Amino acid sequence: MNNMDTEIFDLFTQYEEGMDRAAEVIRQGGLVGFPTETVYGLGADAMNEEAVRSIYIAKGRPSNNPLIVHICDMSQLDILVKDVPKRALELMERFWPGPFTAVLDKRPEVNGTVSGGLNTVAVRMPSNRYASELIRRSGRVIAAPSGNLSGKPSPTTAKHMKDDFMGKIPVILDGGRADVGVESTVCDLRGDVPVILRPGGITAEMIRSAAGSVEISGGVLKKLSEGEKALSPGMLYRHYSPKAEVYVAQGADEADTVKRINDAYDGYERQGRPCVIFCLDGNAGLYRGRNTYPLGKDAGQMASNLFDALRKADEDSMSVVLFEAVSLDGMGLAVMNRIIRAAGFKTI
Ligand code: TXA
Ligand code: MG
């Protein structure tokens, strides 16, 4: 799979050409890097098992970690799932198109490679117009994990995808920045109460207000212990990790968090290890004289900038990233879920 020519299409100037070529590659069983509103995806025809297998190979992804299948209209849902509960349908209609992924019982026709051997399938209708048009033009449903090498931070720009897949896949569509910046919310909709398996662009509060109640799976913020069943297999793996070591600072209060970060920073600096602090814009002044990447004014903006910042830390040859914990409401839950994994659960 190495050393093939990768064609890059800038969708602002090469829309028709890029879309036609990418749709053709999908139909022929090839892989396409494409933008969505959450992160870039690495797509293939979901009903072509051989094509789906090549996604796992290209990413170096464990074969028991299932993929999300992307659709562009409700009629495509029937290809993938059977007997959709009424409550589930209401939530899909409420949050689609958008960063919401429904886990439902799969049809037997859906191959076990896409579902990682489970009898369920994860389905999402993206709102990004390029993603939607690629699905429509290819005439297929598209399986797509985030377009990063397994374990690395997810890509939010075409450049990130190039960094990981140049010379390894035939086409990358450049549609600008992925706005949400973290992946979709993966939600098991089979039972009475929706269960969030992975927090993301649609918040727990939004789901609760639409459904009346919501559960958050145990693996979202803590490490699953050995033998504990992972409802979402992706939760098992170290993830989103830059080369730099990442630590999450969670003090008893803000002053304590700041002290922990500053003490750790100064200690690493004395060892000659370059550090950077990831913080809210408004808090940068609390770390005066130290290297900071302010990630935004709230958790939503932090989500949008997080993966780019993790990749930038490596480009800037940082040895340590110190992350100021954010509160868990709204997009904070998704941000903390990602950073805790990037840190391999290490805290200070
Ligand atoms: O926003 C997104 O969801 C992006 C864009 C490209 O759409 N995709 C994405 O895919 O994040 P990926 O493969 O990086 O993450 C999919 C997550 C994994 O944690 C996986 O374990 C979980 O969804 N998942 C997929 N199918 C599942 C299933 N049948 N049951 C439970 N979890 C599932
Ligand atoms: Mg991923």
Side-chain angles (χ1 to χ4, degrees), residues 39 59 61 65 145-148 152 154-155 183 198 239-240:
V39 299
K59 275 186 67 107
R61 180 181 179 105
N65 187 8
S146 51
N148 51 282
K152 292 243 283 171
S154 303
E183 300 88 339
R198 178 185 70 181
H239 230 135
Y240 317 115

Side-chain angles (χ1 to χ4, degrees), residues 36 38-41 59 61 65-68 70 101 103 115 118 120-122 124 144-146 182-184 186 197-198 231-235:
T36 86
T38 55
V39 299
Y40 273 67
K59 275 186 67 107
R61 180 181 179 105
N65 187 8
L67 308 179
I68 295 172
H70 297 70
T101 295
V103 171
S115 68
L118 300 174
T120 54
V121 63
R124 160 163 131 78
S146 51
V182 292
E183 300 88 339
S184 62
V186 178
L197 306 180
R198 178 185 70 181
L231 295 171
S232 180
M235 289 292 176

Side-chain angles (χ1 to χ4, degrees), residues 36-266:
T36 86
E37 70 278 21
T38 55
V39 299
Y40 273 67
L42 179 64
D45 176 356
M47 304 305 273
N48 176 341
E49 191 159 12
E50 206 48 53
V52 175
R53 199 167 290 130
S54 67
I55 296 179
Y56 287 86
I57 294 168
K59 275 186 67 107
R61 180 181 179 105
S63 61
N64 66 348
N65 187 8
L67 308 179
I68 295 172
V69 183
H70 297 70
I71 62 175
C72 65
D73 64 53
M74 281 316 245
S75 71
Q76 289 186 318
L77 195 57
D78 297 335
I79 304 171
L80 301 167
V81 300
K82 49 182 184 196
D83 317 325
V84 179
K86 186 166 165 288
R87 278 182 232 91
L89 197 59
E90 281 166 9
L91 287 179
M92 290 184 272
E93 279 169 349
R94 169 79 183 74
F95 296 120
W96 283 352
F100 182 74
T101 295
V103 171
L104 292 163
D105 288 321
K106 78 174 185 72
R107 277 192 187 280
E109 294 81 8
V110 177
N111 62 76
T113 303
V114 86
S115 68
L118 300 174
N119 53 17
T120 54
V121 63
V123 189
R124 160 163 131 78
M125 188 192 292
S127 62
N128 178 287
R129 69 185 185 96
Y130 301 129
S132 181
E133 179 61 15
L134 175 63
I135 302 164
R136 198 192 64 74
R137 228 176 255 212
S138 67
R140 301 290 193 273
V141 289
I142 297 186
S146 51
N148 51 282
L149 293 173
S150 194
K152 292 243 283 171
S154 303
T156 52
T157 63
K159 178 190 176 292
H160 297 160
M161 276 223 73
K162 284 185 234 169
D163 289 344
D164 286 8
F165 290 105
M166 200 67 186
K168 296 180 185 158
I169 61 174
V171 173
I172 295 174
L173 298 178
D174 183 348
R177 254 177 74 109
D179 297 327
V180 178
V182 292
E183 300 88 339
S184 62
T185 303
V186 178
C187 204
D188 186 344
L189 298 184
R190 289 172 300 160
D192 290 339
V193 177
V195 181
I196 295 179
L197 306 180
R198 178 185 70 181
I202 297 293
T203 65
E205 290 85 345
M206 290 162 79
I207 297 169
R208 185 182 300 114
S209 96
S213 55
V214 69
E215 260 177 49
I216 297 170
S217 163
V220 165
L221 288 176
K222 67 174 179 55
K223 196 172 188 168
L224 291 170
S225 50
E226 199 122 328
E228 208 170 336
K229 194 166 149 240
L231 295 171
S232 180
M235 289 292 176
L236 286 174
Y237 304 105
R238 183 178 155 95
H239 230 135
Y240 317 115
S241 307
K243 292 195 202 87
E245 237 174 85
V246 181
Y247 293 92
V248 178
Q250 180 115 57
D253 54 28
E254 189 190 89
D256 185 31
T257 300
V258 171
K259 184 174 180 325
R260 285 172 196 232
I261 289 181
N262 285 338
D263 287 352
Y265 187 106
D266 297 346

